[in-house]
Amino acid sequence: MDVQYFVSIFILLWRRTDSSDAYPKLCFPEDFMFGVATASYQIEGGWNVSGKGESIWDRYTHQYPERVFDHKNGDVSDDSYHRYKEDVKLLKELGVNFYRFSISWPRILPTGFINDINKDGIRYYNELIDELHRNNIEPVVTMYHWDLPQVLQDLGGWTNPIIADYFVDYAKVLFKEFGDKVRFWLTFNEPLSFCHDGYGGNDAPGGQASGLEDYMCGHNVLRAHGKVYTLYSKEYRNEQQGSIGITLDIAWMEPATTSKEDQDAAETARQFTYGWFAHPILTDEGDYPQIMRQRIDQNSKRQNFARSRLPHFTSDEVQEIRSSFDFLGLNHYTTYMVSPGDNKTSAVPSFNNDMGVSMSQKAEWPKSNSSWLKVVPWGFRKALNWVKTTYNNPNILVTENGISLKPGLHDPKRVNYIDGYLRALHDAIYKDKCRVIGYTYWSLLDNFEWMRGFSERFGLYEVDYESAERTRSPRLSASYFNNVATTGCLPTSSDDYVEYTLTNK
Ligand code: GBH
């Protein structure tokens, strides 16, 4: 018996006799759903088997291995393409209500187009979905989590307006093949990330034209999203009875001080990072947020562009995009402090210059193993409240929330992270009346963390990348999450929660 064990038993007994309960029993609504998420390129492997086409992440990681932190790629990763049955066993063991995964476009359509539908790809996702249903786990399906067919990128990818039609063709195949078995669809995961980091940053496909290509990408993503929503409503909704959303990356933007300048800067940051996509879909105004329109139009003029770098929607597009959601997918990990930037128009355009703010994180916020991710549970509650008041209290599915830590099965810091964020979520639901229908932990498994390779681990299950079997082992956090998912409640002070938190000191 070690000291840690004694300490936790002592604390457990001490808390039991303590009348002031620091952690009251908190339960979520009866029909609230708990789940976990993954994404195709991050876990599947099997990058060139059974007829799969090349994706932009295959091309990018092969062509520029040195750009990825550990020079690795998703060729094999967790090998979930071959081990999905094992994954479903873990989901069953976790006791979750749903599994959010994504479909690889080039696994379904190797050429990007519907001239070649890959039977094995269809078979794979049918088997996965059937295996989930056999185990009473609801599939929540993301159509696009960043792995675009390379063929389409060769035509300009998301910067080419025609891609919206090809995305509709792809979506039609998904509705036809899987729609009778899927109740929750997400068109896109985090357009901010794949448009800004992909076309104006360091992610695949490696575009370096921020302030131009990222806005073109965003525009076409919104057009594509509106078209797919319309398609579903016209041709599939009646029969299939599912609902469609889009997942946005919603970090909380807190003013650095209470000054008017900082409050305005924080609001500008919210509008540029999530209003960019939320405003056209969730408001009636039919354009990007006013502050984006104003700042980008003005900077474009000063930079001698003939027209604004931020495109305009046609009136048909406005119609199609407006209200094109049944629920909002919300990814939330962390918080930033915001103050105004220097507010000078730069000669070279960029998203950051257009936004014109400066963001930082506080030194005292607990760290994760990712430079951008600090632990700030209260930011989650504020983010949910901002969405509630700005967009008339939409239905929200939290589609990602999680923390990276160093490898190891004893991960009390992850338990604390989840517990803290779930308490904030509970307040948002019960005290603030935010409409949240479910919570998703990112991720079921350690996986290929894009430009950070396998160096950042978010899994409830650890994956051993040295073993041919890619052995999965449950972390402490898996048993914590199992407890929450099966009881629908957070542990109280007289439960294991105290042990989880306090042995961590
Ligand atoms: C999620 O994005 C993704 O949806 C998911 O695929 C991923 O596995 C998960 O995060 C964990 O990383 O390196 O300083 O340039 C969360 C939003 C946006 C956070 C891009 C990291 C890069 C910051 N991400 N950001 S930096």
Side-chain angles (χ1 to χ4, degrees), residues 38-39 42 100 145-146 189-190 192-194 196-197 202-203 247 249-251 331-334 336 370-373 399-400 402-404 442-443 447-452 456 458:
T38 60
Q42 295 181 271
R100 175 180 177 233
H145 200 127
W146 310 359
N189 181 69
E190 296 188 355
L192 168 70
S193 295
F194 74 81
H196 178 259
D197 299 351
N202 296 315
D203 285 15
T247 280
D249 174 8
I250 300 192
N331 289 359
H332 177 86
Y333 289 86
T334 198
Y336 297 91
S370 307
S371 58
W372 55 275
L373 204 174
T399 39
E400 287 178 30
I403 185 171
S404 65
W442 178 275
S443 176
N447 59 59
F448 181 76
E449 266 300 324
W450 310 111
M451 302 314 281
R452 306 296 300 172
E456 295 183 3
F458 284 79

Side-chain angles (χ1 to χ4, degrees), residues 480-497:
Y480 168 84
F481 200 62
N482 166 244
N483 191 265
V484 173
T486 51
T487 62
C489 302
L490 303 178
T492 66
S493 60
S494 54
D495 278 323
D496 294 343
Y497 173 67

Side-chain angles (χ1 to χ4, degrees), residues 271-291:
Q271 295 294 353
F272 266 76
T273 55
Y274 27 98
W276 180 3
F277 299 97
H279 201 87
I281 297 175
L282 287 113
T283 76
D284 288 339
E285 288 170 33
D287 193 13
Y288 294 101
Q290 225 184 343
I291 188 77

Side-chain angles (χ1 to χ4, degrees), residues 284-329:
D284 288 339
E285 288 170 33
D287 193 13
Y288 294 101
Q290 225 184 343
I291 188 77
M292 260 187 107
R293 172 59 60 215
Q294 187 191 315
R295 293 184 70 103
I296 300 170
D297 285 5
Q298 187 183 58
N299 278 348
S300 304
K301 208 175 262 168
R302 289 186 186 151
Q303 290 156 336
N304 299 317
F305 282 87
R307 61 190 63 82
S308 177
R309 289 180 277 101
L310 186 66
H312 288 271
F313 297 109
T314 65
S315 53
D316 284 351
E317 288 167 348
V318 168
Q319 293 302 326
E320 212 159 49
I321 294 166
R322 180 185 287 158
S323 300
S324 58
F325 74 102
D326 303 315
F327 65 96
L328 175 67

